[in-house]
Amino acid sequence: MDYDPGELEQKWRDRWAQTGRYEVDPDDERESTFVTVPYPYPSGGMHIGHARTYTVPDVWARYRRMCGDNVMFPIAWHVTGTPIVGAVERLKNGEEQQLSVLRDTYNVPEDELEQLETPMGFARYFIENDYKEGMRRLGLSIDWRREFTTEDDRYSKFVTWQYENLRERGLLEKGLHPVNYCTNEEQPVTTHDLLEGEDAEFQEFTLIRFEREGTVFPMATLRPETVRGVTNAYVHPDGEYVRALVDGEEWVVSAAAAAKFELQDREVEIAETFPGADLVGERVENPVTGDEVPVLPATFVDPDNATGVVMSVPAHSPDDYVALREARDRADEIEAEYGVDADAVRDIEPVPILEIDDYGEIPARDAVAAAGVASSDDPELHAVTEDLYQDEFHGGRLLEAYGEFAGEVIVDVRERFRQHHVEAGHFDTMHEFTEEVICRCGGDVEVAQQETWFLRYNDEGWREKAREAVDQLDAVPENTREQYYDTIDWLEEWPCIRNYGLGTRLPWDDEFVIEPLSDSTIYMAYYTIAPYVEDVPVEEMDRDFFDALFYGPEGEDAPEGAEVDVEDPHPTALELREEFDYWYPVDVRCSANDLIRNHLTFYLYHHAELFERENWPQGITVMGMGLLEGESMSSSKGHVVLPDEAIDKYGADTVRFFLLNSSEPWQDYDWRAEDVGATRDQLERFWNRAREVVAYDVPDDAEEHLQPVDRWLLSELQDTVRETGQALERVETRTASQEAFYRFEEQLRWYRRRTDADRPGAKWTLQTVLRTRLRLLAPFVPYMADELHEELTGEPAEDTPWPEPDPELDSPRRAVEESLIRDLHEDVRDIVEVTGEDPDVVRVYAAADWKHHVFEEVAEAGADANVGQVMGRVMQDEDLRERGDAVNDLVQELIEDARDRTEEELATLVALDETGVYERAAGFLAREFDADVEVYAEDGADVHDPADRAGQAVPFRPAVHLE
RNA sequence: GCGAGGGUGGCCGAGCCUGGCCAAAGGCGGCGGGCUUAAGACCCGCUCCUGUAGGGGUCCAUGGGUUCGAAUCCCAUCCCUCGCACCA
């Protein structure tokens, strides 16, 4: 039978489905293992990147199952939030790109498109036709009874329980939060709704409250510490400015700024509108220094950005320095046009506020001079400004005038300084984007402040629990542990609700929806009960229901500080409690490494808070990113490979094997068609060989006729079993599959070359080896392994126990012998190659007895022997003493050699009959080199040594003569 | 800038923690040979330089250092990737 994965795999899929092979229930006889992966978000189809994400946990699941565990690997569907809603919108609007993704990338048939026009219709389509199909074909060992979507009513009740709990525990907080707000649609919008500025970030500007006669001229800056260096202000003379009552105070800002303040939760009442020119010449008072500075005109001021009133710090901002230089040059014009005293302009001097190495008193002047910037139009200027800002931020120290803040480096002091002056009423705050943001509707998007509920991830008590959860976590790879700690320190409050989208409503305010990252923190617990809650009426799944389920009716398993006392526990809740108890905690969660910054850390936070310590996550394995032919995948560009197509072309085993073997789970991998094709060829080769081995007719007494080379191969097999198991324990799928497959293939290649594989002993050996390897490979290529194993033994590989190394079959002696033969073979080959001669006779001379005596002494002295020590002992022997220098040289050489060997190897070598090993290999060498092979002992009676080479022999490095 | 991870032979990629067995695994590609009517598959060899006896030289981003000995440890520099949030 030729290798036909299509047919073969279908057969096993059917069998798994019919027998419910991966459906699991609690079993007190067996240990539970619970493996999860983030539920897919079906806002589009599945591509090969997803395939790997789900195959890694599958390998682990299959491995643990063979180790005897009762393994649950469930899946569900995440539909919360706006991406699906947005995708449907774009489809309904007939957007070309969206249609192309659906039709061309994911092959949605034309007549199915209509059913995608509702969010759940859209999700269902991809769940049923795409994800589930792909997962089944990949051979994922999922318990399908446990699936659900995050739109299910019962799941919502579970989320509701969680949020009521968190609120009660004081971990939710209401507050203002910056959001993207479309000024045209007059509502908050998401990143997906944006036409431009998707990468824009919120920036927090400090407003310096310059004043004049009770009127505030707020100047926005990102460098509040430069307040003492302000020499003047700028406004755009043609810009539209207003005088307005802001939160009861009179402020002067640009008209655009006034609108923003209104969005940012300030009361704004516009009193008067006028051009910026009207402000020129006014003098405003610095709230920190009390100095008065003039307002000057400048066309580079953007009234749409921040407040439209800009403060100038020429000593430290190259931009401002150049602008000031130009203003002074134009002083007379300014006087003529705006009536500002020209001398007053010319008198403005930069005021330094900090010291920094490698710059003079006025850093901006130096930076401008060094870069040769001539005017404000110079494109260099921007870069010069950036550089100086950077240098000053990390290297600048505040001058004396800063009092308690003096001498401190900006990076350390800025926030404290800012805070100090905010409290003193000198500074204020506003938010602004880093770039222009436009909504898909064409409207301008601004930062608005909105009332929102937050998860208080910066709560010290909660943080501490989260850190403890990290302490006891098995983080794979280990170097991710630090990233979790880091994320915990860095997280602030997390806004956990949205204005719209799918999902669970905030229990106490149904205007809001709990957002996707916040509704997916502890849902793994829901898998344990999902198949059994169908019959429970939704309304009965209340607070008490879940309290009783997760915490016990008396709250016996409740976390600290929770008071649970369920009067009349729901009987189903009590039953399900056993399910939960059996399966929880989650043993391994596999997830993309970019989720450490949010989801995975949230997952730890919420478990740490809501469950007792025994139910905290046990392990997290993070996964790398996928590339396609060296470039990142993109469904919108059609640069993807669909699992379906890949499986059609190569078979699921090949797809799995490639994805798991090309890199470790946490490393990035690259799907290259050429390499996948090669993998497929290799598996086919394996299949063909295995079929031959399966077909062997092995006599019953074959095992009694094993030769040393068979013993050697069986010994190697034990190493492979050990290495593969150890690698899988560390979730190193690449190492494990390399060991079980490629590394052992190499041994087999040598074995086939070395010996006659038609011997009964060889056949027995090869079948034994195949049986073990099929088990080792079963987690990776389950279809092929099950099929071949069943043909060989009558049982699928996955139903047999994971192989244990058999000490009976370990043979250090055979390993050492075989390596000597390999070395000799290689030496002869080298000589043949270098000399370019084809020998008729190969003579091999094993070292003389006295040399072996020396070796014994060296071996006895151990790995860290030194020459003098060994010489001392060797010289006790009269026979050796007579040989003088020759012994000395040999000792040195052998000590070098011995240092590279283990004690065990040395002991094995000492006990070895070297000449005998070569004699047994003579037939093999004769075949290999098509020559007569003569083996002698250097000091043997019959030694024939025409070229006088025998003397070169060293123990375990025989002399060779070719003729 | 901050945080994390990297830079190895034509390419991919092991090795680095625990220094010596490292000219550095394996795969891919390339070259040569075998098998074959032939192609593919398969098998063998070569694939840094050099050498007609198993050897020698140079090499693991760059420059220093530690050490008897460094791809591996330390320092500095250069370069690359990812993240820096409210997007799942």
Side-chain angles (χ1 to χ4, degrees):
Chain A
M1 190 172 76
D2 285 340
Y3 179 47
D4 177 3
E7 194 180 322
L8 166 78
E9 291 172 2
Q10 189 55 49
K11 171 182 139 188
W12 285 94
R13 267 195 286 277
D14 290 347
R15 209 152 117 184
W16 292 335
Q18 278 158 20
T19 58
R21 178 66 180 82
Y22 305 115
E23 293 174 7
V24 285
D25 290 302
D27 172 358
D28 289 334
E29 301 289 294
R30 285 183 298 162
E31 194 136 328
S32 78
T33 288
F34 187 8
V35 186
T36 68
V37 64
Y39 38 27
Y41 202 94
S43 58
M46 187 177 177
H47 58 65
I48 207 73
H50 300 108
R52 188 170 90 141
T53 306
Y54 309 129
T55 308
V56 170
D58 185 62
V59 167
W60 176 256
R62 287 176 174 277
Y63 164 65
R64 291 312 310 175
R65 218 171 268 132
M66 287 176 75
C67 290
D69 290 1
N70 192 20
V71 180
M72 168 160 58
F73 178 24
I75 203 83
W77 314 100
H78 201 194
V79 298
T80 309
T82 54
I84 291 174
V85 178
V88 170
E89 283 305 311
R90 291 197 290 280
L91 168 65
K92 288 206 288 196
N93 293 340
E95 285 182 30
E96 212 32 65
Q97 198 201 20
Q98 177 69 354
L99 285 168
S100 155
V101 166
L102 295 175
R103 276 198 290 242
D104 308 331
T105 304
Y106 293 119
N107 306 318
V108 180
E110 201 65 31
D111 56 348
E112 305 258 13
L113 279 178
E114 204 187 327
Q115 75 177 76
L116 271 61
E117 291 188 359
T118 65
M120 285 314 287
F122 189 100
R124 272 260 98 80
Y125 175 86
F126 282 107
I127 292 168
E128 297 300 332
N129 299 292
D130 203 280
Y131 274 95
K132 282 172 87 165
E133 183 61 15
M135 289 173 164
R136 285 211 169 94
R137 293 196 68 192
L138 273 170
L140 303 185
S141 53
I142 289 171
D143 180 351
W144 289 105
R145 298 171 306 159
R146 296 175 187 274
E147 64 171 320
F148 58 87
T149 82
T150 56
E151 265 290 282
D152 294 358
D153 291 340
R154 290 177 178 80
Y155 178 79
S156 274
K157 299 299 275 185
F158 167 71
V159 174
T160 300
W161 169 78
Q162 184 191 348
Y163 275 79
E164 284 174 343
N165 234 314
L166 287 170
R167 188 189 192 189
E168 216 161 83
R169 298 173 72 83
L171 296 171
L172 282 169
E173 184 176 83
K174 202 175 184 176
L176 285 174
H177 174 68
V179 296
N180 296 344
Y181 186 90
C182 175
T183 53
N184 181 40
E185 297 173 48
E186 298 190 339
Q187 63 165 346
V189 289
T190 70
T191 308
H192 285 269
D193 299 317
L194 301 181
L195 194 62
E196 272 174 43
E198 286 181 54
D199 299 327
E201 286 172 27
F202 296 129
Q203 249 176 350
E204 192 179 77
F205 278 94
T206 300
L207 301 183
I208 314 282
R209 293 165 51 97
F210 280 78
E211 284 189 28
R212 177 184 163 75
E213 291 166 6
T215 301
V216 180
F217 291 71
M219 304 195 196
T221 179
L222 293 168
R223 304 204 296 163
E225 73 282 0
T226 60
V227 63
R228 286 180 173 275
V230 177
T231 57
N232 61 284
Y234 289 115
V235 294
H236 193 113
D238 306 326
E240 190 182 355
Y241 287 80
V242 299
R243 189 177 304 275
L245 217 54
V246 175
D247 290 341
E249 285 180 327
E250 188 169 276
W251 285 24
V252 170
V253 293
S254 70
K260 290 175 201 172
F261 285 134
E262 200 157 10
L263 289 173
Q264 292 178 16
D265 204 45
R266 292 182 189 269
E267 293 274 332
V268 178
E269 205 178 303
I270 293 175
E272 185 190 354
T273 302
F274 48 86
D278 291 6
L279 298 168
V280 173
E282 298 242 30
R283 296 186 72 83
V284 293
E285 186 186 319
N286 185 320
V288 174
T289 63
D291 296 342
E292 286 201 345
V293 299
V295 177
L296 300 180
T299 50
F300 61 77
V301 173
D302 178 1
D304 287 335
N305 190 22
T307 56
V309 186
V310 181
M311 64 187 218
S312 173
V313 186
H316 300 288
S317 163
D319 277 330
D320 292 347
Y321 181 80
V322 173
L324 176 61
R325 200 163 66 184
E326 289 172 0
R328 288 202 291 207
D329 289 347
R330 295 191 304 116
D332 291 327
E333 290 169 45
I334 293 172
E335 178 173 298
E337 201 169 334
Y338 303 99
V340 183
D341 177 23
D343 287 334
V345 175
R346 277 190 286 263
D347 285 347
I348 298 175
E349 287 295 336
V351 179
I353 59 119
L354 58 76
E355 285 181 318
I356 175 169
D357 293 345
D358 303 329
Y359 291 93
E361 195 195 0
I362 313 291
R365 180 171 63 201
D366 300 337
V368 167
V373 173
S375 77
S376 52
D377 303 328
D378 195 321
E380 274 291 285
L381 184 55
H382 184 68
V384 172
T385 301
E386 293 259 298
D387 287 349
L388 182 60
Y389 278 21
Q390 208 61 252
D391 289 348
E392 290 191 344
F393 185 53
H394 295 281
R397 291 173 183 283
L398 292 175
L399 297 179
E400 284 304 306
Y402 282 82
E404 59 171 302
F405 303 104
E408 295 214 53
V409 179
I410 308 304
V411 61
D412 300 325
V413 77
R414 176 178 289 168
E415 188 49 36
R416 255 170 43 229
F417 180 79
R418 194 186 96 87
Q419 208 51 48
H420 176 263
H421 285 286
V422 167
E423 279 159 25
H426 300 147
F427 295 174
D428 225 313
T429 297
M430 88 175 281
H431 292 271
E432 183 65 284
F433 285 118
T434 48
E435 57 185 283
E436 193 175 15
V437 183
I438 311 278
C439 182
R440 280 174 175 276
C441 76
D444 188 30
V445 177
E446 295 294 347
V447 184
Q449 292 278 2
Q450 200 187 41
E451 284 268 285
T452 298
W453 284 87
F454 296 90
L455 284 160
R456 299 182 51 224
Y457 288 142
N458 55 359
D459 176 87
E460 220 15 79
W462 201 1
R463 269 193 172 141
E464 199 41 47
K465 283 182 210 162
R467 287 191 196 105
E468 283 169 27
V470 179
D471 291 343
Q472 54 109 64
L473 183 74
D474 183 13
V476 177
E478 179 58 37
N479 64 22
T480 54
R481 187 182 306 280
E482 202 50 40
Q483 294 183 51
Y484 294 107
Y485 289 125
D486 209 64
T487 303
I488 290 168
D489 291 341
W490 161 86
L491 276 169
E492 297 289 336
E493 291 150 325
W494 180 269
C496 61
I497 56 170
R498 296 290 180 271
N499 296 277
Y500 51 86
L502 299 178
T504 301
R505 301 271 143 188
L506 192 64
W508 52 91
D509 187 347
D510 68 6
E511 228 185 288
F512 296 107
V513 179
I514 295 171
E515 63 88 39
L517 284 163
S518 303
D519 84 335
S520 57
T521 53
I522 56 166
Y523 69 92
M524 310 78 203
Y526 196 75
Y527 284 126
T528 67
I529 60 167
Y532 314 109
V533 291
E534 291 303 309
D535 300 330
V536 181
V538 175
E539 61 277 10
E540 288 176 21
M541 296 177 71
D542 54 12
R543 185 73 190 275
D544 279 354
F545 181 89
F546 287 108
D547 274 349
L549 200 171
F550 294 123
Y551 296 157
E554 266 101 61
E556 50 268 41
D557 292 338
E560 223 177 292
E563 278 178 35
V564 175
D565 187 9
V566 180
E567 285 270 323
D568 181 20
H570 197 291
T572 308
L574 293 181
E575 281 168 34
L576 296 185
R577 181 167 161 65
E578 289 178 25
E579 296 280 333
F580 171 73
D581 270 345
Y582 179 77
W583 292 113
Y584 239 61
V586 179
D587 294 281
V588 176
R589 183 159 182 82
C590 295
S591 179
N593 55 199
D594 54 339
L595 293 184
I596 293 176
R597 280 311 253 196
N598 46 53
H599 166 258
L600 288 171
T601 300
F602 296 179
Y603 165 63
L604 294 170
Y605 260 98
H606 288 243
H607 275 84
E609 181 64 32
L610 294 169
F611 294 109
E612 55 171 348
R613 193 173 286 261
E614 291 76 65
N615 282 330
W616 288 2
Q618 302 293 298
I620 297 179
T621 297
V622 304
M623 285 186 283
M625 297 275 130
L627 297 176
L628 175 52
E629 305 294 345
E631 286 173 39
S632 55
M633 297 185 221
S634 158
S635 49
S636 60
K637 288 191 192 129
H639 188 61
V640 289
V641 167
L642 305 188
D644 217 39
E645 292 165 353
I647 293 169
D648 283 344
K649 189 166 175 191
Y650 305 105
D653 278 334
T654 297
V655 171
R656 292 172 63 105
F657 199 67
F658 180 83
L659 290 172
L660 296 161
N661 187 264
S662 57
S663 61
E664 302 294 3
W666 49 89
Q667 297 174 321
D668 293 351
Y669 62 96
D670 190 0
W671 180 274
R672 290 180 188 262
E674 197 180 3
D675 295 348
V676 182
T679 302
R680 149 86 210 223
D681 291 345
Q682 286 152 354
L683 286 180
E684 179 158 12
R685 201 178 313 163
F686 177 84
W687 169 269
N688 290 334
R689 288 250 170 70
R691 299 271 312 169
E692 285 171 26
V693 172
V694 167
Y696 283 159
D697 190 16
V698 183
D700 290 342
D701 63 348
E703 193 180 351
E704 291 157 32
H705 298 98
L706 294 187
Q707 296 189 352
V709 70
D710 301 326
R711 296 280 179 204
W712 163 76
L713 189 68
L714 291 168
S715 177
E716 290 295 331
L717 181 67
Q718 306 319 306
D719 286 345
T720 300
V721 167
R722 264 184 288 266
E723 295 293 332
T724 306
Q726 283 166 11
L728 272 181
E729 280 300 319
R730 299 185 301 258
V731 208
E732 292 174 2
T733 62
R734 175 187 152 87
T735 303
S737 56
Q738 291 258 338
E739 280 293 328
F741 194 81
Y742 292 104
R743 190 180 152 273
F744 205 84
E745 280 299 306
E746 276 181 75
Q747 311 289 11
L748 276 174
R749 215 182 302 164
W750 176 252
Y751 177 80
R752 280 191 297 268
R753 202 168 158 176
R754 271 280 279 133
T755 192
D756 169 18
D758 287 332
R759 286 182 294 114
K763 287 181 172 174
W764 184 89
T765 303
L766 287 170
Q767 284 199 339
T768 303
V769 162
L770 178 65
R771 192 166 54 241
T772 302
R773 284 180 82 210
L774 287 172
R775 295 182 191 183
L776 295 178
L777 290 169
F780 301 93
V781 287
Y783 297 106
M784 177 182 277
D786 274 2
E787 176 71 22
L788 291 168
H789 196 94
E790 189 172 66
E791 283 176 30
L792 185 64
T793 71
E795 226 184 341
E798 66 177 330
D799 292 344
T800 62
W802 182 256
E804 289 288 334
D806 179 354
E808 299 267 300
L809 294 178
D810 274 323
S811 175
R813 177 178 159 203
R814 300 305 176 194
V816 164
E817 286 182 2
E818 205 56 34
S819 75
L820 289 182
I821 296 168
R822 271 180 140 147
D823 289 348
L824 175 57
H825 178 260
E826 197 182 316
D827 275 351
V828 174
R829 215 178 52 206
D830 279 353
I831 299 168
V832 169
E833 195 195 317
V834 171
T835 59
E837 281 165 21
D838 185 17
D840 295 320
V841 185
V842 174
R843 296 192 182 88
V844 178
Y845 306 95
D849 271 352
W850 69 266
K851 293 182 178 173
H852 278 100
H853 284 151
V854 174
F855 184 87
E856 278 169 41
E857 291 294 343
V858 170
E860 204 152 307
D864 37 53
N866 62 59
V867 177
Q869 193 185 343
V870 176
M871 281 306 289
R873 297 174 54 164
V874 164
M875 284 304 168
Q876 314 268 312
D877 186 314
E878 197 176 329
D879 181 38
L880 294 177
R881 195 161 54 220
E882 282 172 15
R883 296 178 188 273
D885 284 352
V887 175
N888 195 19
D889 292 348
L890 184 63
V891 167
Q892 287 201 11
E893 190 170 347
L894 291 179
I895 282 179
E896 291 262 311
D897 182 39
R899 197 160 48 188
D900 300 334
R901 299 184 187 270
T902 63
E903 295 278 336
E904 190 193 27
E905 266 180 328
L906 290 174
T908 310
L909 283 170
V910 166
L912 212 63
D913 165 20
E914 194 186 355
T915 316
V917 171
Y918 302 140
E919 276 167 354
R920 283 200 296 277
F924 163 66
L925 294 171
R927 272 202 313 282
E928 283 285 313
F929 297 104
D930 193 22
D932 291 335
V933 174
E934 300 168 7
V935 177
Y936 305 100
E938 178 190 350
D939 52 353
D942 60 339
V943 63
H944 176 54
D945 185 16
D948 195 23
R949 300 238 180 236
Q952 291 175 7
V954 170
F956 314 112
R957 189 85 204 275
V960 174
H961 175 227
L962 306 189
E963 193 172 62

